[in-house]
Amino acid sequence: MNKEFITQGGLPITSELATDLRNLIFGTAAIPMRAEWLQTSFVFGAPKEELAYGLRSPRNATRGLLSVVQGFVLKYLLFARKTSRVAALTDPLLANAEMQREALFCALVEILRTISDKGKVTMVLPSEDEVFVDHSASYFHDSVTEKLYVFTLSPNEELEHFMKRNFKYFSEEETPGTLLFLYSAVLTRSMGKVRTDLDSSKSSPLTMSNHEEGSLMIVTLLLTGRATPYIHNGVVNVGDESSYAVPQYGVLKRCMIGLLLWDIESSSAAVNQSRQPGSRLKTPNYPIWVTSCTGHYGVVFNRNPDLLRNYHAESRFDVNYYSCSGHQIQMTIDNRTYNEQAFGHVGAATNHTGGYLDGRESQPERMEKPALLLLRLRVEVLLPVAVWVPLAAAVLVVLLVALAVVATWSPRRSQRSTRRCSV
């Protein structure tokens, strides 16, 4: 037995728990999960260099989970980090090794606390050579799950002390850090509640997805604390005349970090609209959004904490799009032309969103209607061919940010303009 884990309160995983965990998350325990879950951890780029704030990984099924953690890393670096006067003058995105470690530590702890909802946190760590579950027809060894110790912790100082002591299991390269964190998140929520969140009548595993970069339910679990496939606000009762209405539980409270979704594969505009996030995800507490553009995950963020609170800041603002592949795109959203037109057309309908989308070196190109998304875009930056796929995703998600921000501002602006004309 591992004496270090035993002294920390760890208990060996049972055969029943290991099998149930694999079945719930991956759909079966009879075959091993995809290899990337066993090899992907939370790793940053080189410290003090461009994009030092960003987690890095190949494109695989862990990308959705990594993008959520990346959002919380940015929240810490931009808005929550306590700094001295000298440190405040440096760019927080040019993080050194200490800042990277602290940001990742705070991100993981905050996510687990959100899931626990002031209850106990359950975490898992692997033993090096001990195996607690026998290989069988119903359980195929994956080299991690059958070696786990399970720890039950309080969500405050005990969790922080435990994470600091065992941080290497999540941050060292070629370790199953993402799998350990996913297991910990599911066990903290409890497997029974996760099944309820997933709508157990459909018998869908947590990682089920048509997209290569991971499922939406993992993202909602880490963002909201509930692994729901429904991203509307509150509870919606769905039914017809021949059956009882069934409640679909969406997002129950405003999130720290938002979510924007674009699925071009939807069969119709109505279907796509029904899958759009509600305002509790579109307008989060901080101007950071996890984005999913036809299954490609990334993060859009702005450095101004008042962007979603002060409509003056919404006239023109910068956004950065980052993908865990290690690419960033900087753009500017300019709504000032739309604001000027609103004064001249007070009596006209105001349900169109105009504006500009500028590349860092480009001239503004006007967007006439949100339904068109983008007529033209010029980004005068030389990028390798491998960047064009995330570039296309970035264009769409940046536009979603613009529409979400302007949508919150337009009704207020219209009301003020109408009162001015009436006077």
Side-chain angles (χ1 to χ4, degrees):
M1 302 292 283
N2 190 312
K3 293 183 179 180
E4 180 184 359
F5 288 169
I6 294 296
T7 58
Q8 295 183 63
L11 297 174
I13 194 169
T14 64
S15 176
E16 293 77 10
L17 179 57
T19 303
D20 290 346
L21 196 59
R22 289 263 298 272
N23 286 335
L24 175 61
I25 296 178
F26 300 105
T28 180
I31 59 176
M33 78 278 290
R34 295 173 62 170
E36 55 256 30
W37 286 106
L38 305 173
Q39 302 169 356
T40 306
S41 58
F42 300 98
V43 179
F44 287 94
K48 295 184 178 181
E49 295 186 3
E50 188 178 10
L51 307 183
Y53 67 87
L55 295 170
R56 306 289 179 88
S57 78
R59 187 187 177 199
N60 56 42
T62 67
R63 183 67 65 83
L65 183 150
L66 286 167
S67 296
V68 177
V69 175
Q70 178 67 69
F72 281 91
V73 166
L74 286 165
K75 173 181 173 290
Y76 172 79
L77 291 175
L78 296 176
F79 306 118
R81 187 169 60 99
K82 296 180 180 179
T83 60
S84 63
R85 291 185 178 181
V86 176
L89 299 177
T90 62
D91 187 349
L93 299 184
L94 298 177
N96 57 35
E98 181 181 355
M99 291 168 61
Q100 290 175 338
R101 177 184 174 87
E102 187 68 19
L104 178 58
F105 167 81
C106 292
L108 298 180
V109 168
E110 182 174 358
I111 291 172
L112 290 174
R113 284 174 176 167
T114 299
I115 298 172
S116 71
D117 194 20
K118 301 181 180 179
K120 293 290 186 178
V121 173
T122 302
M123 298 201 69
V124 295
L125 293 177
S127 174
E128 292 184 2
D129 51 9
E130 296 174 289
V131 177
F132 307 115
V133 182
D134 294 332
H135 185 89
S136 66
S138 60
Y139 183 89
F140 192 100
H141 278 183
D142 58 30
S143 75
V144 175
T145 311
E146 61 274 4
K147 298 180 178 181
L148 294 178
Y149 277 86
V150 183
F151 305 82
T152 302
L153 312 164
S154 68
N156 299 314
E157 289 80 5
E158 187 178 10
L159 174 60
E160 293 181 3
H161 177 73
F162 180 87
M163 283 293 295
K164 289 179 180 178
R165 185 173 182 177
N166 301 286
F167 193 69
K168 64 180 181 179
Y169 291 100
F170 301 91
S171 59
E172 290 184 354
E173 294 189 29
E174 300 299 326
T175 60
T178 52
L179 178 63
L180 297 177
F181 188 67
L182 179 59
Y183 279 167
S184 299
V186 170
L187 292 173
T188 297
R189 175 63 178 162
S190 84
M191 291 193 290
K193 290 182 178 179
V194 170
R195 288 191 183 95
T196 302
D197 295 340
L198 293 173
D199 191 351
S200 57
S201 62
K202 298 180 181 179
S203 301
S204 301
L206 183 62
T207 56
M208 187 192 72
S209 175
N210 296 325
H211 301 302
E212 183 181 348
E213 298 186 6
S215 76
L216 179 64
M217 287 79 79
I218 292 178
V219 172
T220 57
L221 173 63
L222 303 187
L223 281 179
T224 71
R226 300 175 62 255
T228 176
Y230 310 113
I231 51 180
H232 52 70
N233 287 354
V235 182
V236 175
N237 293 310
V238 178
D240 52 36
E241 297 178 354
S242 61
S243 63
Y244 289 105
V246 177
Q248 291 182 349
Y249 292 89
V251 182
L252 303 182
K253 60 183 180 180
R254 191 171 302 279
C255 300
M256 289 292 177
I257 292 175
L259 172 67
L260 297 175
L261 178 68
W262 174 260
D263 188 1
I264 200 171
E265 296 178 357
S266 297
S267 58
S268 66
V271 173
N272 188 53
Q273 182 63 30
S274 68
R275 299 190 64 236
Q276 288 303 303
S279 61
R280 291 169 181 169
L281 286 172
K282 285 184 178 179
T283 54
N285 292 337
Y286 293 91
I288 302 172
W289 294 265
V290 176
T291 64
S292 176
C293 183
T294 61
H296 298 279
Y297 284 100
V299 181
V300 167
F301 63 95
N302 176 272
R303 298 187 182 211
N304 183 5
D306 294 326
L307 178 64
L308 300 174
R309 306 168 192 165
N310 185 349
Y311 72 89
H312 291 293
E314 299 167 7
S315 294
R316 180 183 173 91
F317 58 93
D318 297 328
V319 290
N320 292 349
Y321 173 83
Y322 177 77
S323 168
C324 290
S325 59
H327 298 296
Q328 173 183 273
I329 297 174
Q330 298 175 323
M331 294 186 182
T332 298
I333 308 283
D334 192 338
N335 299 300
R336 290 176 297 181
T337 298
Y338 167 74
N339 299 342
E340 295 171 0
Q341 292 174 347
F343 282 105
H345 298 84
V346 175
T350 58
N351 56 356
H352 293 294
T353 304
Y356 290 127
L357 176 64
D358 301 343
R360 188 172 183 180
E361 300 291 337
S362 65
Q363 296 296 324
E365 302 289 343
R366 183 175 177 181
M367 293 173 4
E368 294 293 348
K369 296 181 180 180
L372 298 179
L373 285 182
L374 187 63
L375 294 179
R376 297 175 62 196
L377 173 67
R378 293 173 58 203
V379 181
E380 298 175 1
V381 181
L382 296 177
L383 297 174
V385 175
V387 181
W388 289 113
V389 171
L391 174 60
V395 171
L396 290 175
V397 296
V398 168
L399 289 167
L400 290 175
V401 174
L403 297 180
V405 172
V406 175
T408 62
W409 172 85
S410 297
R412 299 197 301 268
R413 192 69 171 187
S414 177
Q415 292 173 3
R416 294 182 60 189
S417 301
T418 304
R419 288 198 300 269
R420 179 175 298 181
C421 286
S422 63
V423 174

